[in-house]
Amino acid sequence: MHSFWVIFKQAFMTKAKTKSFIITTVVVVAMFFLLANMPKILEAFQGEEEDQVLHIVDESGELAPLFQQQLETMDSDISAQPTDLTEEELKAGIADESIHAYLVFEQGDQLTARYVSESANELSNNSDIEQAVQSMQTILTAESLNLNESQVGQLFMPAVFEREAVSESSKSQEELSQARGLVYILIMLIYIAVIYYPNMIAMEVATEKSSRVMEILISSVSPVKHMFAKIAGIGTLGILQMGIFGLAGYLAIKSAGTDLTEGAFSVFGFSDVKISTFLFAILFFLLGYFLYAVLAALLGSLVSRTEDVQQLMLPMMMLIVVASLIAFSGISVPEAKFVTISSFIPFFAPLVMFLRVGMLDIPLWEPLVSIALMLVTIGLLGWFGARVYRGGVLMYGSSQSLKDIRKAIKLGNKQ
């Protein structure tokens, strides 16, 4: 058992000290703080533009007050005022940066508003202007048709549209909207984890074989113990890194002075999250990791060069990609038949079953059955992987095909 912990520690510490791991962790943590404080950063850069005035060119003298009234109704921060300057003078002001932008009103059969600024993309940041002009067109059209205010309100009154689900497992539209963002984020984390960490195991095994370190290791410890120590060591490192990300995200939100129930965080579903959702996220992360980690260790043991790892890992990567496609497409239709069936397939379950748990109120037996199938698959894959690994670590030379699995099993049986 001592040898197991020695290899476990070696696998954990070797990867934890690598520059790639440290840089990745630091960059992701920095991104959390950057995103959480993005509103403050944008306000700091936009502080100088708060006092800029939108000049209004209105020959009739009647449209500018109406435009200002619409901006006030919308509680817009845009400061608009009529101007007596000509367009040539206004353009000259834009050129020397004394004027930010101006708006020209022309009224004929239809209201026309022309927004002039240094860049054509600036209007995309001022949707209030376009909305105010559209409201003006509505008011002017209503006046030409002799409609009173009450009739205009009735004309543009939105229809009441409600959704009601018959299925007992379905949530309301509001609940689905709250859960969708959180489930999307957690699925993304699980997806990255089951790609990144198993691939790390395969590269580690291939590196030890290419440097002939493997020959020394298996002379003092069994290949099977070596495989599971590697899986456990890097898995623990993965849990530690995800824990750092979670803590960094929490601290970033607190440093920004934002509560989980406010602003964008309520949109992503943090306002009403069940503890069971996070528990299932952790559980499916661990099961998904061990499932793909055993498969990655098996494949990594077949190659002698790190250059061959990606080629043999391609089938495993395809499984993960298919699972992610099903999960991400199922976010909008979590009750679809293909999502339900896929959630019971062990290689898809870490992503797809978690999607259903987060988005639907499904019976408890469904995730339990899926978890049981995954555990059985991990056990069978571990038993088969150990047989392949026992012989695979002793194989050298070019390995370009999964047919080498048979050779590895035969070599392992001779030990």
Side-chain angles (χ1 to χ4, degrees), residues 61-185:
E62 299 177 354
L63 298 176
L66 182 59
F67 178 73
Q68 290 174 311
Q69 181 183 352
Q70 294 306 308
L71 290 177
E72 292 175 1
T73 303
M74 296 163 53
D75 292 327
S76 175
D77 295 330
I78 298 174
S79 177
Q81 66 179 28
T83 181
D84 295 328
L85 298 175
T86 65
E87 282 207 58
E88 289 74 14
E89 292 173 328
L90 290 169
K91 288 181 179 179
I94 291 176
D96 62 24
E97 297 184 353
S98 62
I99 294 176
H100 175 63
Y102 66 91
L103 190 67
V104 180
F105 281 118
E106 299 173 359
Q107 186 175 13
D109 295 334
Q110 184 177 4
L111 177 64
T112 301
R114 181 160 46 88
Y115 181 85
V116 182
S117 63
E118 184 178 5
S119 172
N121 294 324
E122 289 186 16
L123 185 58
S124 62
N125 299 324
N126 295 318
S127 58
D128 287 352
I129 297 176
E130 188 172 354
Q131 186 177 345
V133 171
Q134 183 60 49
S135 299
M136 290 173 60
Q137 174 63 34
T138 301
I139 293 172
L140 294 173
T141 303
E143 289 179 354
S144 66
L145 297 175
N146 296 320
L147 298 179
N148 57 40
E149 187 176 344
S150 175
Q151 290 172 323
V152 173
Q154 292 178 3
L155 181 63
F156 291 96
M157 184 180 294
V160 177
F161 183 81
E162 297 179 351
R163 297 188 183 187
E164 182 177 340
V166 177
S167 174
E168 295 181 358
S169 64
S170 179
K171 296 182 179 180
S172 67
Q173 186 64 25
E174 182 180 357
E175 291 173 327
L176 284 175
S177 298
Q178 289 180 341
R180 188 172 287 115
L182 177 62
V183 170
Y184 186 90
I185 292 173

Side-chain angles (χ1 to χ4, degrees), residues 68-381:
Q68 290 174 311
Q69 181 183 352
Q70 294 306 308
L71 290 177
E72 292 175 1
T73 303
M74 296 163 53
D75 292 327
S76 175
D77 295 330
I78 298 174
S79 177
Q81 66 179 28
T83 181
D84 295 328
L85 298 175
T86 65
E87 282 207 58
E88 289 74 14
E89 292 173 328
L90 290 169
K91 288 181 179 179
I94 291 176
D96 62 24
E97 297 184 353
S98 62
I99 294 176
H100 175 63
Y102 66 91
L103 190 67
V104 180
F105 281 118
E106 299 173 359
Q107 186 175 13
D109 295 334
Q110 184 177 4
L111 177 64
T112 301
R114 181 160 46 88
Y115 181 85
V116 182
S117 63
E118 184 178 5
S119 172
N121 294 324
E122 289 186 16
L123 185 58
S124 62
N125 299 324
N126 295 318
S127 58
D128 287 352
I129 297 176
E130 188 172 354
Q131 186 177 345
V133 171
Q134 183 60 49
S135 299
M136 290 173 60
Q137 174 63 34
T138 301
I139 293 172
L140 294 173
T141 303
E143 289 179 354
S144 66
L145 297 175
N146 296 320
L147 298 179
N148 57 40
E149 187 176 344
S150 175
Q151 290 172 323
V152 173
Q154 292 178 3
L155 181 63
F156 291 96
M157 184 180 294
V160 177
F161 183 81
E162 297 179 351
R163 297 188 183 187
E164 182 177 340
V166 177
S167 174
E168 295 181 358
S169 64
S170 179
K171 296 182 179 180
S172 67
Q173 186 64 25
E174 182 180 357
E175 291 173 327
L176 284 175
S177 298
Q178 289 180 341
R180 188 172 287 115
L182 177 62
V183 170
Y184 186 90
I185 292 173
L186 293 179
I187 286 178
M188 182 64 73
L189 289 176
I190 296 173
Y191 169 71
I192 293 173
V194 297
I195 285 183
Y196 181 63
Y197 300 115
N199 188 68
M200 190 183 293
I201 292 174
M203 291 296 294
E204 180 76 4
V205 174
T207 301
E208 290 181 352
K209 284 187 65 178
S210 63
S211 62
R212 300 286 179 171
V213 173
M214 185 67 73
E215 297 178 2
I216 301 174
L217 290 173
I218 62 174
S219 64
S220 56
V221 62
S222 69
V224 176
K225 187 180 292 185
H226 178 269
M227 180 183 78
F228 285 106
K230 286 283 184 187
I231 293 173
I234 294 180
T236 304
L237 181 67
I239 294 172
L240 174 63
Q241 190 176 45
M242 289 297 172
I244 292 173
F245 292 161
L247 179 61
Y250 177 80
L251 293 177
I253 294 169
K254 289 299 182 182
S255 69
T258 304
D259 190 74
L260 289 173
T261 60
E262 296 178 356
F265 298 101
S266 62
V267 176
F268 281 109
F270 289 103
S271 59
D272 185 19
V273 183
K274 294 180 180 179
I275 298 298
S276 60
T277 302
F278 285 110
L279 294 178
F280 273 116
I282 296 171
L283 180 59
F284 281 112
F285 163 77
L286 293 174
L287 292 175
Y289 165 75
F290 281 108
L291 181 66
Y292 284 101
V294 174
L295 186 57
L298 180 157
L299 296 173
S301 69
L302 298 176
V303 300
S304 303
R305 303 183 306 166
T306 55
E307 294 84 355
D308 297 332
V309 171
Q310 296 302 324
Q311 182 174 345
L312 278 184
M313 290 281 285
L314 185 60
M316 188 188 85
M317 301 298 291
M318 291 302 296
L319 286 173
I320 299 174
V321 170
V322 172
S324 65
L325 290 175
I326 295 173
F328 290 130
S329 62
I331 287 179
S332 57
V333 282
E335 293 180 307
K337 208 70 174 179
F338 75 94
V339 176
T340 303
I341 295 173
S342 302
S343 66
F344 292 100
I345 300 175
F347 288 101
F348 300 159
L351 296 177
V352 184
M353 181 54 80
F354 174 69
L355 162 71
R356 297 186 64 223
V357 169
M359 298 289 290
L360 303 173
D361 290 325
I362 60 176
L364 182 60
W365 66 266
E366 291 193 22
L368 291 180
V369 168
S370 181
I371 290 170
L373 291 173
M374 289 182 66
L375 289 173
V376 172
T377 303
I378 292 172
L380 293 175
L381 197 58

